[in-house]
């Protein structure tokens, strides 16, 4: 690997440098990287940290897109890209051509359009796809809270749009079939006027109760609006509600592309309207695309590297993906829907749309604190408001709600890291510190994948017993690190007694180290070690799994806060290295 030099431009205002690299920086981003295999990445139109992630749905699992697929169901406005557990894929649009759509009184359950990657362009803030069956060129762009479509039809006299409020991600956990579902509890769709429709979709999947409201404005008048309930035509209706609502819209003959601006809100249709009015107004598709892509150029230009072309593409692609989350989850007026499902009025941006702390606390959150202290500052307030509404700091939030995914209580390292980096204003530090202690001492956090989450046994035994909890070793190690982070926060705030108490808890990792095997391993409540022991065993959340998505070889070395102490357990540095 060639030597690479990184230049971090630490300034309150991120400067944009017009050098040959920076002027062309979007061309270094491979938006489809990770979209094959089990990468679960979707190429899409999104603004940095935006609530709207507008992209193609080729299936209703994973991210919603897989590079090997050759057909799409359309373009939905919400996605979760790059993670294991999935949800979203709400409010799906699909442009169509053909005279049959003006006469049909029963919709097919599935309507798709084929495509090839030769007709696909994916860039930060922009996505284009040629729908081969209909010869329609579909283009997408986005603002933080709005999506924008532009459809160019081949036949000016045959222009239709399917709006689908039924489909969504159906494969949330990937482990237990009975927890993989997408249930629409309520949806509604209304033709407001010649150029406007609005509606909502309330569902559950991985998120216990997800609300998505939308308000869509068209650049050309809607000629006909045909509503379908459970695939059957509802004659001469302008409004429908239920659990399977779809609509076919048609437009008068014109050779001009149709542009559709769609505001999204977790709060209300009026919130979606205000988001649309504030963020897009009367701007054209090209104007929105230009502004969003310029925003991406500024975000990506904060780090400059020198290296070969492959390394440059990999680096900037990763930097792009790192700035999609945490995901915004509040309207332009500050309102948001919180973990208790109630609506609140916030003064700062609320970043709880996708907040996967187990996945981000090690590297991505510390990076965001360096590059975007304003985001981290608002995230601290998000943590505090989440705590006030649900009684504990976030573990893993989706669509504003706590789902208890994964292990640990990893708000702690994010908070301590932010405070250590000097992000100390704009939120109540003392209240957040109290929330850290309360959250780390709750006997029960909740349940995830049928398994208990909580600190009761950890506090009692000074480790998590493997005969009582799945992934017990990994939990012990991560709790110990999180406790060390609380200790550092206590030290910085001058709380000596708390500092020593949590430093003692930070050493609990030693209680799952077995000197006889030189591995961290499962330990039962009576103090004995789980047998037989296989350092390569990983059973992925099923019975007998002591390690979270890994094995003893990997997890034995997760003591990031006490490297010397870990080495000491092995007896000597030489033994540790060998």
């Amino acid at each position: 690997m060639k030597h690479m030099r990184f230049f971090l431009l630490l300034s309150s205002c991120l400067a944009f440098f017009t050098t040959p690299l920076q002027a062309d920086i979007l061309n270094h981003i491979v938006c489809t990287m990770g979209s094959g295999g089990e990468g679960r990445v979707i190429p899409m139109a999104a603004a940095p940290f935006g609530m709207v992630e507008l992209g193609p749905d080729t299936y209703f699992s994973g991210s919603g897109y897989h590079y090997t697929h050759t057909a799409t169901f359309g373009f939905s406005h919400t996605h979760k890209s790059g993670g294991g557990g999935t949800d979203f894929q709400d409010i799906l649009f699909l442009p169509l051509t053909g005279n049959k759509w003006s006469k049909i009184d029963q919709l097919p359950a599935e309507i798709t359009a084929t495509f090839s990657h030769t007709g696909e362009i994916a860039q930060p803030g922009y996505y284009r796809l040629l729908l081969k069956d209909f010869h329609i060129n579909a283009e997408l762009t986005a603002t933080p809270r709005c999506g924008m479509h532009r459809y160019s039809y081949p036949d000016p006299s045959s222009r239709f749009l399917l709006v689908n409020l039924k489909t969504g991600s159906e494969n949330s956990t990937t482990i237990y079939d009975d927890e993989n579902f997408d249930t629409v509890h309520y949806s509604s769709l209304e033709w407001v006027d010649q150029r406007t429709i609005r509606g909502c979709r309330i569902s559950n999947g991985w998120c216990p109760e997800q609300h998505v409201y939308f308000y869509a404005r068209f650049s050309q008048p809607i000629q006909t609006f045909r509503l379908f309930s459970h695939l059957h035509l509802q004659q001469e209706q302008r409004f429908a509600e239920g659990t399977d609502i779809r609509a076919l819209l048609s437009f008068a003959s014109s050779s001009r592309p149709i542009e559709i601006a769609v505001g999204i809100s977790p709060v209300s249709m009026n919130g979606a309207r205000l988001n649309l009015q504030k963020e897009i107004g009367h701007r054209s598709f090209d104007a929105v695309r230009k502004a969003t892509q310029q925003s991406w150029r500024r975000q990506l230009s904060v780090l400059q590297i020198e290296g070969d072309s492959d390394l440059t593409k990999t680096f900037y692609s990763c930097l792009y993906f790192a700035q999609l989350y945490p995901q915004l989850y509040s309207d332009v007026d500050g309102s948001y829907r919180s973990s208790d499902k109630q609506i609140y009025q916030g003064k700062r941006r609320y970043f709880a749309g996708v907040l996967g702390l187990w996945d981000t606390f090690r590297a991505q959150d510390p990076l965001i604190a360096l590059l975007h202290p304003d985001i981290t500052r608002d995230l601290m307030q998000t943590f505090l408001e989440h705590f006030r509404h649900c009684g504990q700091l976030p573990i893993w939030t989706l669509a504003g709600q706590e789902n208890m995914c994964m292990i640990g209580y990893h708000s702690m390292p994010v908070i301590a890291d932010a405070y250590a980096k000097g992000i100390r204003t704009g939120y109540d530090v003392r209240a957040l510190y109290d929330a850290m202690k309360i959250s780390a001492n709750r006997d029960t956090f909740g349940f995830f994948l049928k398994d208990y989450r909580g600190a009761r046994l950890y506090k009692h035994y000074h480790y998590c017993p493997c005969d009582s909890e799945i992934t017990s070793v990994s939990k012990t190690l991560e709790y110990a690190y999180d406790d060390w982070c609380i200790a550092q926060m206590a030290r910085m705030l001058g709380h000596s007694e708390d500092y020593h108490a949590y430093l003692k808890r930070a050493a609990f990792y030693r209680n799952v180290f077995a000197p006889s095997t030189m591995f961290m391993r499962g330990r039962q409540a009576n103090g004995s070690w789980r047998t037989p022991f296989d350092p390569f065993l990983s059973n992925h959340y099923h019975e007998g799994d002591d390690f979270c998505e890994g094995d003893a070889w990997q997890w034995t070395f997760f003591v990031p806060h006490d490297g010397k102490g870990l080495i000491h357990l092995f007896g000597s540095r030489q033994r540790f290295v060998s």
Side-chain angles (χ1 to χ4, degrees):
M1 181 181 294
K2 291 185 178 180
H3 176 65
M4 303 178 68
R5 290 186 291 151
F6 298 79
F7 300 91
L8 177 60
L9 310 179
L10 295 175
S11 59
S12 57
C13 180
L14 304 182
F16 173 61
F17 293 87
T18 312
T19 66
L21 173 63
Q22 303 306 327
D24 199 33
I25 197 167
L26 297 190
N27 291 334
H28 293 282
I29 314 304
V30 183
C31 293
T32 54
M33 186 174 76
S35 62
E38 286 295 329
R40 302 186 178 223
V41 166
I42 176 173
M44 60 192 177
F49 308 103
M51 179 162 59
V52 167
E53 295 184 349
L54 176 57
D57 291 341
T58 66
Y59 69 143
F60 298 103
S61 183
S63 67
Y65 175 98
H66 200 281
Y67 195 79
T68 62
H69 295 171
T70 57
T72 180
F73 292 89
F75 308 99
S76 64
H77 293 76
T78 63
H79 290 91
K80 176 182 169 289
S81 183
T86 59
D87 207 330
F88 298 168
Q89 298 181 253
D90 304 278
I91 320 299
L92 182 125
F93 287 8
L94 176 65
L96 303 166
T97 59
N99 292 330
K100 73 174 184 178
W101 302 113
S102 64
K103 303 172 183 178
I104 195 167
D105 59 9
Q106 182 172 345
L107 285 173
E110 293 185 353
I111 304 172
T112 61
T114 59
F115 68 91
S116 70
H117 295 299
T118 58
E120 182 180 45
I121 295 176
Q123 300 172 344
Y126 175 73
Y127 181 81
R128 191 188 84 181
L129 190 65
L130 177 64
L131 305 179
K132 293 167 63 176
D133 295 333
F134 306 115
H135 304 286
I136 296 172
N137 189 47
E139 298 175 272
L140 312 174
T141 190
T143 67
R145 300 172 178 88
C146 303
M148 202 162 185
H149 310 241
R150 181 164 64 189
Y151 299 135
S152 300
Y153 294 81
D155 183 353
S157 63
S158 178
R159 304 187 301 163
F160 298 88
L161 177 70
L162 173 69
V163 178
N164 180 346
L165 304 187
K166 170 59 177 176
T167 55
S169 176
E170 299 171 350
N171 198 323
S172 61
T173 71
T174 75
I175 294 175
Y176 295 109
D177 289 340
D178 62 326
E179 294 187 5
N180 287 334
F181 54 80
D182 177 76
T183 304
V184 179
H185 292 298
Y186 176 82
S187 63
S188 70
L189 189 54
E190 180 183 9
W191 186 12
V192 178
D193 58 41
Q194 271 197 318
R195 293 174 183 262
T196 309
I197 65 172
R198 65 182 179 182
C200 70
R201 185 179 192 271
I202 301 172
S203 63
N204 74 334
W206 190 16
C207 175
E209 184 179 300
Q210 181 195 2
H211 291 243
V212 182
Y213 301 87
F214 76 96
Y215 197 91
R217 189 184 65 241
F218 294 77
S219 63
Q220 299 172 36
I222 301 167
Q223 188 174 49
T224 64
F225 181 81
R226 307 176 76 227
L227 280 163
F228 296 78
S229 177
H230 295 275
L231 307 177
H232 294 282
L233 178 65
Q234 307 299 294
Q235 295 284 355
E236 299 180 0
Q237 298 294 314
R238 295 179 68 98
F239 173 83
E241 58 185 346
T243 58
D244 183 352
I245 302 299
R246 314 181 199 207
L248 271 173
L249 287 62
S250 71
F251 305 88
S253 181
S254 174
S255 60
R256 290 176 297 134
I258 293 174
E259 296 186 0
I260 312 167
V262 185
I264 296 291
S265 167
V267 174
S268 67
M269 281 183 272
N270 188 56
R273 181 184 65 82
L274 292 175
N275 291 342
L276 179 61
Q277 178 180 314
K278 178 73 173 179
E279 292 193 351
I280 291 184
H282 296 287
R283 290 189 296 162
S284 68
F285 181 94
D286 287 332
V288 172
R289 174 190 174 183
K290 180 179 179 181
T292 298
Q293 292 202 304
Q294 193 71 353
S295 175
W296 274 115
R297 288 187 180 94
R298 288 193 296 269
Q299 301 287 338
L300 296 167
S301 298
V302 67
L303 288 177
Q304 300 178 43
I305 69 168
E306 295 177 3
D308 62 36
S309 60
D310 288 342
L311 288 175
T312 299
K313 285 186 177 182
T314 299
F315 177 84
Y316 280 111
S317 298
C318 291
L319 186 61
Y320 160 71
F321 291 127
Q323 295 179 92
L324 290 171
Y325 304 108
Q327 187 181 70
L328 181 68
Y329 202 65
S330 56
D331 290 342
V332 292
D333 65 357
S335 59
Y336 63 91
R337 190 178 300 272
S338 189
S339 52
D340 59 358
K341 305 175 185 177
Q342 301 302 307
I343 296 170
Y344 295 91
Q345 191 72 34
K347 296 180 180 179
R348 293 185 174 275
R349 293 167 295 179
Y350 192 70
F351 285 105
V354 174
L355 185 58
L357 295 176
W358 188 83
D359 303 271
T360 61
F361 79 92
R362 299 166 180 82
Q364 192 249 4
D365 286 309
L367 176 67
I368 297 304
L370 281 172
L371 302 185
H372 306 292
D374 61 313
I375 297 287
T376 299
R377 185 173 291 109
D378 288 355
L379 187 60
M380 296 300 98
Q381 184 63 29
T382 297
F383 283 3
L384 189 54
E385 293 182 28
H386 181 98
F387 172 79
R388 289 167 175 166
H389 302 151
C390 107
Q392 68 183 37
L393 289 168
I395 292 175
W396 218 116
T397 69
L398 190 73
Q401 294 182 38
E402 183 60 68
N403 63 28
M404 301 294 164
C405 179
M406 308 311 292
I407 60 175
Y409 30 89
H410 296 313
S411 291
M412 314 309 170
V414 181
I415 295 168
D417 177 70
Y419 194 80
K421 286 186 169 81
I423 303 172
R424 301 182 175 188
T425 61
Y427 61 97
D428 189 333
V429 175
R430 302 291 171 175
L432 195 55
Y433 173 67
D434 289 340
M436 294 172 79
K437 294 188 293 180
I438 292 171
S439 299
N441 285 282
R442 285 192 58 166
D443 285 348
T444 301
F445 308 148
F447 290 81
F448 173 67
L449 295 180
K450 310 182 189 302
D451 181 43
Y452 160 80
R453 298 284 190 271
R456 179 174 63 88
L457 299 179
Y458 172 73
K459 291 185 297 180
H460 178 75
Y461 293 100
H462 298 178
Y463 62 91
C464 297
C466 65
D467 49 347
S468 300
E469 299 187 44
I470 295 174
T471 66
S472 60
V473 177
S474 299
K475 286 179 183 176
T476 301
L477 297 174
E478 292 200 356
Y479 292 165
Y481 173 66
D482 292 338
D483 287 340
W484 181 84
C485 293
I486 299 174
Q488 302 315 301
M489 196 70 177
R491 177 183 56 80
M492 290 185 285
L493 294 175
H495 298 296
S496 178
E497 186 175 341
D498 285 347
Y499 170 71
H500 290 290
Y502 283 95
L503 206 59
K504 182 178 179 180
R505 282 175 49 156
F508 287 176
Y509 74 88
R510 300 169 184 168
N511 297 327
V512 290
F513 182 81
S516 60
T517 59
M518 295 294 171
F519 283 104
M520 304 289 180
R521 57 184 290 190
R523 191 172 190 177
Q524 300 182 98
N526 65 8
S528 63
W529 301 106
R530 183 196 292 277
T531 56
F533 172 66
D534 178 358
F536 293 101
L537 178 66
S538 180
N539 202 22
H540 203 53
Y541 294 108
H542 291 88
E543 187 176 352
D545 187 13
D546 296 332
F547 300 96
C548 180
E549 299 189 1
D551 59 26
W553 270 110
Q554 295 161 315
W555 276 99
T556 292
F557 302 98
F558 186 79
V559 188
H561 58 290
D562 190 12
K564 290 183 179 179
L566 177 62
I567 293 171
H568 180 74
L569 292 179
F570 283 80
S572 69
R573 184 179 185 278
Q574 291 74 21
R575 198 170 184 182
F576 175 81
V577 171
S578 67

